[in-house]
Amino acid sequence: MSTVEERAELLDRATATGQAIPQLTSAEPMTLETAYAVQHAGIALREQRGERLAGVKLGFTSKAKAEQMGVSDVIIGSLTDRMGIEDGGTFDVGRGVHPRVEPEVAFRLGPDAEPVAVAPALEIIDSRYRDFRFSLADVVADNTSASAFVLGPWTRIGRLDALAVDLLFDGEVVATGSTADILGDPLRALPAARRMAAEYGHRLFDGAVLLAGAATAAVALKPRTHVEARVAGLGSVSVRTKEG
Ligand code: OOG
Ligand code: MG
């Protein structure tokens, strides 16, 4: 049996090299509890290298994502400052295994884990497992495939339950949905995050970012693309991809 730390190091190395690994559960069974322990051990490795926690993300909060990946339980992962890319910045697809992008909604949390602002967001996910296939425990151990995130302009929180969401590559719509696809209303990500953070040991600190989850299925990234998410009423956020 491999230890939690050994499993975290395998995933950490796959992230660093861009070389996919077999699912951890193909070697031995793994409970959800152990999977979250592996996730936290992986974040500890990042913190040892000077990364700082930036917040948390939820996964599989939309039917589109659950159907795409064949996994239906909501999961929670950690975001670090080094995963953040400024709006309009650049992401190197050559650095990843097989990165995909999702249009999302982000919240900034205040004290007491209350949401104080909302922004359109892009999440870049990149499973460290071969063929982007995994079980629930595998993806939890792999920090819910977190790779990078881009935040658009923060605005005051109003009604968020039915805003049109578009994902565009070079100005062409490649996926479309609604904020209603995120738990019925992305504001429901707040109680979900509080419950899961308490259960699995994540911190919802003052100033933390919460990614509520994708409104559409994820789309594979290619180099030299202008990637934009538009959320009606919230504005837009973009990133450019390059290779090498
Ligand atoms: C897991 C991450 C899912 C979301 O927004 O639903 C996620 C994956 O699909 O690899 O980030
Ligand atoms: Mg996501």
Side-chain angles (χ1 to χ4, degrees):
M1 244 191 50
S2 55
T3 65
V4 162
E5 283 68 30
E6 283 165 350
R7 291 182 234 191
E9 271 157 25
L10 263 179
L11 285 161
D12 192 62
R13 211 166 312 129
T15 309
T17 61
Q19 297 294 311
I21 58 170
Q23 296 177 42
L24 295 179
T25 58
S26 69
E28 57 193 313
M30 180 165 57
T31 63
L32 200 55
E33 210 183 347
T34 300
Y36 275 108
V38 173
Q39 182 190 119
H40 287 304
I43 294 298
L45 291 173
R46 286 175 173 268
E47 290 183 308
Q48 281 161 27
R49 294 193 291 263
E51 294 184 43
R52 296 166 65 107
L53 283 178
V56 297
K57 58 160 285 188
L58 297 183
F60 306 131
T61 49
S62 74
K63 218 157 107 193
K65 279 291 310 178
E67 277 169 7
Q68 180 180 34
M69 305 316 299
V71 176
S72 61
D73 291 354
V74 175
I75 56 178
I76 186 168
S78 288
L79 302 172
T80 71
D81 57 351
R82 206 162 300 164
M83 298 178 191
I85 299 174
E86 63 177 349
D87 191 5
T90 306
F91 176 79
D92 182 358
V93 294
R95 193 185 84 179
V97 183
H98 34 210
R100 297 177 177 178
V101 66
E102 306 172 325
E104 302 216 5
V105 168
F107 294 100
R108 194 170 63 220
L109 306 183
D112 309 323
E114 286 303 323
V116 294
V118 63
L122 287 165
E123 186 186 19
I124 297 172
I125 55 169
D126 190 16
S127 177
R128 269 56 72 165
Y129 301 114
R130 268 181 214 148
D131 306 321
F132 224 114
R133 289 171 63 87
F134 43 68
S135 68
L136 188 70
D138 285 308
V139 68
V140 162
D142 188 21
N143 193 26
T144 67
S145 307
S147 174
F149 63 94
V150 195
L151 303 175
W154 291 111
T155 49
R156 290 174 56 137
I157 298 169
R159 279 192 62 166
L160 300 174
D161 58 339
L163 309 177
V165 177
D166 287 316
L167 177 66
L168 300 95
F169 282 7
D170 295 328
E172 302 272 340
V173 175
V174 292
T176 170
S178 159
T179 53
D181 297 324
I182 305 166
L183 296 172
D185 181 335
L187 281 169
R188 295 210 179 107
L190 276 306
R194 284 193 284 264
R195 178 176 50 76
M196 299 193 72
E199 190 165 350
Y200 298 119
H202 297 70
R203 283 196 312 117
L204 302 182
F205 51 91
D206 190 3
V209 169
L210 165 62
L211 286 182
T216 72
V219 182
L221 282 174
K222 335 172 245 124
R224 294 175 299 283
T225 309
H226 179 259
V227 178
E228 182 186 7
R230 289 185 193 153
V231 182
L234 299 186
S236 96
V237 54
S238 71
V239 70
R240 249 169 222 294
T241 60
K242 63 164 187 173
E243 187 158 39

